[in-house]
Amino acid sequence: MAGHVAAPTMSPADLVAYLLGWNELVLKWLERDDQGLPVDFPETGFQWNELGRLAQKFYQDYGELSYPQLLDALVHVKQRLVGAIAARSDQELYGRAWYGEWTKGRMIQFNTSSPYANARGRIRKWLKA
């Protein structure tokens, strides 16, 4: 195809950085909301139609970490996120809209489960190759 530029290949380290970035971002949303501060969804300087550019930011943000450090950071941020969710009531999570029509619980779900589903698909593709 003329003019087609192949997307850069994602490495396993990039994949972990992507998951780490999304988990940290969801925590940032919750922390800003807890402090009564506005939340820029999905991230300051990014629109929902720029998630590829946001993924590139995550790769850069965590690019200096070794693969074992990335894995440790992912485990730690996941624990922090699970704790942050567990500390909230069902009413806070699902009782009212938080972003547009979506509740806080649904926003957390969408923006944690979707990146993991994406990661699973990439891993399956790598295993078949």
Side-chain angles (χ1 to χ4, degrees):
M1 176 184 333
H4 176 73
V5 176
T9 303
M10 178 187 274
S11 71
D14 288 342
L15 185 59
V16 177
Y18 172 78
L19 296 174
L20 180 58
W22 272 107
N23 280 280
E24 288 284 4
L25 186 56
V26 171
L27 276 172
K28 177 183 171 183
W29 296 345
L30 296 175
E31 289 163 2
R32 288 188 63 82
D33 187 64
D34 288 348
Q35 297 166 5
L37 298 171
V39 178
D40 292 332
F41 293 102
E43 171 62 301
T44 303
F46 293 86
Q47 300 298 316
W48 287 109
N49 64 351
E50 298 176 303
L51 297 183
R53 192 167 69 86
L54 182 57
Q56 294 296 318
K57 177 189 178 305
F58 295 151
Y59 307 154
Q60 290 174 354
D61 288 349
Y62 304 106
E64 297 299 316
L65 297 179
S66 69
Y67 190 68
Q69 289 171 319
L70 283 167
L71 292 174
D72 287 345
L74 182 60
V75 167
H76 180 70
V77 73
K78 179 189 166 237
Q79 291 169 343
R80 288 178 36 227
L81 185 55
V82 168
I85 294 164
R88 287 163 167 74
S89 68
D90 285 350
Q91 176 60 30
E92 179 182 351
L93 291 170
Y94 296 103
R96 65 178 175 84
W98 187 47
Y99 176 73
E101 68 185 83
W102 306 110
T103 64
K104 191 176 289 184
R106 289 294 281 167
M107 285 296 289
I108 294 167
Q109 179 186 352
F110 292 148
N111 294 287
T112 55
S113 66
S114 292
Y116 280 92
N118 177 304
R120 278 190 306 277
R122 288 180 185 274
I123 291 168
R124 275 197 289 282
K125 187 186 286 186
W126 289 339
L127 291 173
K128 287 180 182 178

